[in-house]
Amino acid sequence: ILNVEQSPQSLHVQEGDSTNFTCSFPSSNFYALHWYRWETAKSPEALFVMTLNGDEKKKGRISATLNTKEGYSYLYIKGSQPEDSATYLCAFPISGGSNYKLTFGKGTLLTVNP
Amino acid sequence: NAGVTQTPKFRVLKTGQSMTLLCAQDMNHEYMYWYRQDPGMGLRLIHYSVGEGTTAKGEVPDGYNVSRLKKQNFLLGLESAAPSQTSVYFCASSYFAGPYEQYFGPGTRLTVT
């Protein structure tokens, strides 16, 4: 079983703060790295799928970077708002091809205080 | 487009009872997945399907069976429920294998007493 580690486990920030958190994954046999946003009482929603070393993706105030050689991805939120409060999950495929299956990290719980 | 739907939303079972959870998607996706989510454990893959008529085991398949008789539906069965199967179950689908987004259903909260 491959380990996907996320840090920190939880984070409290004030509205307007910028923040970032980390996803670490095995650097060998890289296929892709997925980020999901999971609000309380809802279901996970895809943010980004990243495939190339050095990839940067952006959606509004949220962006992500990828370093496949060292096995990490950062998720950044600029100017956090209370509606950004959620658990942010990263996921890494444990195999490719037709058996593409994701292993999820335990997530980073972000709370943005107004 | 309803996306991914799950039935039921909540269920309470007694130990030893059986039930089936239904997942349906209207996006013509090939791949479908069943996960369970437990506190402190994150999402874990139970079973998945790479297309109509196919199923495969995930990380935690014991105690569950699945069927995919129609492309749009993926059923998860518990033949003899155990308290350890108390969890929130999520179904997901994706267009195909590979770096595609997975779309999740709203979840089913199952309690086994």
Side-chain angles (χ1 to χ4, degrees):
Chain A
I1 304 286
L2 298 176
N3 286 326
V4 179
E5 303 288 341
Q6 291 189 248
S7 62
Q9 278 190 315
S10 64
L11 198 51
H12 289 253
V13 301
Q14 291 299 124
E15 183 174 354
D17 287 350
S18 293
T19 187
N20 66 85
F21 21 94
T22 307
C23 173
S24 301
F25 52 86
S27 55
S28 58
N29 295 325
F30 178 82
Y31 299 102
L33 194 283
H34 298 241
W35 280 102
Y36 287 84
R37 181 171 179 273
W38 193 356
E39 289 182 72
T40 302
K42 294 190 177 179
S43 50
E45 290 184 350
L47 281 173
F48 307 116
V49 181
M50 309 181 79
T51 56
L52 297 174
N53 185 42
D55 223 358
E56 287 190 35
K57 300 267 187 178
K58 188 173 181 182
K59 187 179 285 189
R61 293 178 290 97
I62 303 177
S63 59
T65 60
L66 178 68
N67 184 323
T68 61
K69 295 183 178 176
E70 295 183 39
Y72 65 84
S73 176
Y74 293 140
L75 191 80
Y76 299 92
I77 302 179
K78 185 177 177 183
S80 303
Q81 299 296 308
E83 57 265 30
D84 295 329
S85 296
T87 297
Y88 291 84
L89 300 173
C90 70
F92 182 78
I94 56 177
S95 55
S98 60
N99 288 314
Y100 193 95
K101 304 186 289 286
L102 293 178
T103 293
F104 283 82
K106 294 180 182 178
T108 293
L109 173 60
L110 174 67
T111 304
V112 183
N113 299 311
Chain B
N1 263 357
V4 180
T5 58
Q6 291 182 232
T7 315
K9 287 186 168 49
F10 304 94
R11 186 72 187 268
V12 178
L13 286 180
K14 290 188 169 33
T15 297
Q17 286 185 318
S18 63
M19 78 163 294
T20 301
L21 282 67
L22 171 63
C23 175
Q25 52 94 4
D26 61 1
M27 296 175 283
N28 202 34
H29 284 172
E30 289 294 330
Y31 277 60
M32 297 186 75
Y33 311 84
W34 276 108
Y35 294 93
R36 58 179 289 173
Q37 193 260 327
D38 303 293
M41 298 295 290
L43 285 166
R44 291 182 293 169
L45 183 65
I46 305 171
H47 285 281
Y48 66 104
S49 168
V50 306
E52 182 178 313
T54 74
T55 62
K57 294 180 181 179
E59 184 186 351
V60 288
D62 293 342
Y64 305 95
N65 56 73
V66 286
S67 64
R68 183 120 180 251
L69 298 179
K70 293 183 179 180
K71 185 177 183 178
Q72 62 268 36
N73 295 338
F74 194 28
L75 278 65
L76 179 71
L78 287 73
E79 288 186 347
S80 179
S84 60
Q85 294 176 304
T86 293
S87 188
V88 182
Y89 292 86
F90 286 95
C91 175
S93 71
S94 64
Y95 169 64
F96 207 66
Y100 298 99
E101 298 173 349
Q102 290 189 11
Y103 292 81
F104 283 80
T108 295
R109 183 174 293 276
L110 174 66
T111 302
V112 183
T113 61

